[in-house]
Amino acid sequence: MMTIGEAAAASGVSAKMIRHYETVGLLRPHRAANGYRVYADADIAVLRFIRHARDLGFPLEKVRRLLALWRDRNRSSAEVKRLALSHVEALEAKAASLRAMAASLRQLAEHCHGDERPECPILDELEKAP
Amino acid sequence: MMTIGEAAAASGVSAKMIRHYETVGLLRPHRAANGYRVYADADIAVLRFIRHARDLGFPLEKVRRLLALWRDRNRSSAEVKRLALSHVEALEAKAASLRAMAASLRQLAEHCHGDERPECPILDELEKAP
DNA sequence: ATGGGGGTTCCCACAATGGGAAGGTCAAGG
DNA sequence: CCTTGACCTTCCCATTGTGGGAACCCCCAT
């Protein structure tokens, strides 16, 4: 049984975020008589779970669903896999979009002299009509 | 000389965003006697510039600097190139991070049977201690 | 004059995180 | 016993970029 500060240290989630996860309903710690939140080992496990999921880029809504599956002893691994792969697709789509931007811009930059002169194909491109 | 709706249609930037760009100081349209914003062709060019820069993922702060360089006839292309390449690095770093997440997660998913059984290495990983 | 299609400002929301203020609580030590 | 400092509580604000919507004003055509 620990306070929020200890739970933060034990889980690697900041106290601020722990409270936030509670307000969005991912967590329900007990309260001591003085109003302090009290975290049991199971709560710490939840917090670590959340952190790992966040480290993999899952948005909180998907973390919520993962948690539900985690707690459900009758889940099918298929459902977990589906959720995970949909997230993989989202990540890859986003990454591809960023890489496309980077590639276009790098392309433009390669044609830029990068000297004292003001002429610059990067600005020319940004200025274009369409 | 056009109103904000026409400027939106001409530039591809929503009226909502045009107002926002104004409040953050990227734009200063004139005002008609009735209080309506009035956009000149130069303003439309600025809006298109902003849109192109946003399409390349530049955050508004960098868009602001690009605009300043664009307007500065004495700019050096080196400065533009530096700004662009720093953004390229940011994009690539972000993309790499997303791809790393996707790769880890895909890896985990590959080891998940994805059937009716509850055992799932994805959840096992999220549950892990550290 | 009236109705519709603009325009204006202002507030709220998202997602996830952090900063900070104002105040309550507890343990240690003088 | 009381102070001090570390910790807890709630509440508000900011970030980034975008959108939704309310309440209200304006102009033109019917």
Side-chain angles (χ1 to χ4, degrees), chain A residues 10-11 45 48-58 66-67 69-70 72-81 83-85 87-89 91-92 94-96 98-106 108-120 122-130, chain B residues 10-11 45 48-58 66-67 69-70 72-81 83-85 87-89 91-92 94-96 98-106 108-120 122-130:
Chain A
S11 67
R48 272 197 302 253
F49 185 98
I50 295 173
R51 181 168 61 78
H52 292 322
R54 291 290 302 130
D55 286 348
L56 286 172
F58 283 98
L66 283 172
L67 269 173
L69 290 170
W70 184 43
D72 178 6
R73 305 242 163 215
N74 294 322
R75 72 190 167 239
S76 68
S77 60
E79 211 171 337
V80 180
K81 189 170 183 172
L83 191 47
L85 288 180
H87 181 50
V88 167
E89 283 185 27
L91 288 169
E92 285 173 348
K94 185 72 180 175
L98 294 179
R99 282 174 30 119
M101 291 178 195
S104 311
L105 190 50
R106 192 182 276 287
L108 288 171
E110 269 167 23
H111 293 299
C112 174
H113 294 302
D115 55 19
E116 297 310 307
R117 288 170 294 173
E119 292 78 34
C120 174
I122 302 169
L123 294 179
D124 292 347
E125 176 70 20
L126 293 174
E127 185 179 345
K128 274 194 342 188
Chain B
S11 66
R48 272 197 304 254
F49 185 98
I50 295 173
R51 180 168 62 78
H52 292 323
R54 292 288 304 132
D55 286 349
L56 287 172
F58 283 98
L66 283 171
L67 269 173
L69 290 169
W70 184 43
D72 178 5
R73 306 244 162 211
N74 293 323
R75 74 195 166 234
S76 67
S77 60
E79 211 170 340
V80 180
K81 189 170 184 174
L83 191 47
L85 288 180
H87 180 50
V88 167
E89 283 185 27
L91 288 169
E92 285 174 347
K94 185 74 179 174
L98 294 178
R99 281 174 27 119
M101 291 179 194
S104 311
L105 190 50
R106 191 182 277 288
L108 288 171
E110 269 166 22
H111 294 297
C112 173
H113 293 303
D115 55 19
E116 296 310 306
R117 290 170 293 174
E119 291 79 35
C120 176
I122 301 169
L123 294 179
D124 292 347
E125 175 71 18
L126 293 174
E127 187 179 343
K128 272 194 341 188

Side-chain angles (χ1 to χ4, degrees), chain B residues 38-54:
Chain B
V38 176
Y39 296 87
D41 287 353
D43 295 315
I44 304 306
V46 168
L47 287 171
R48 272 197 304 254
F49 185 98
I50 295 173
R51 180 168 62 78
H52 292 323
R54 292 288 304 132

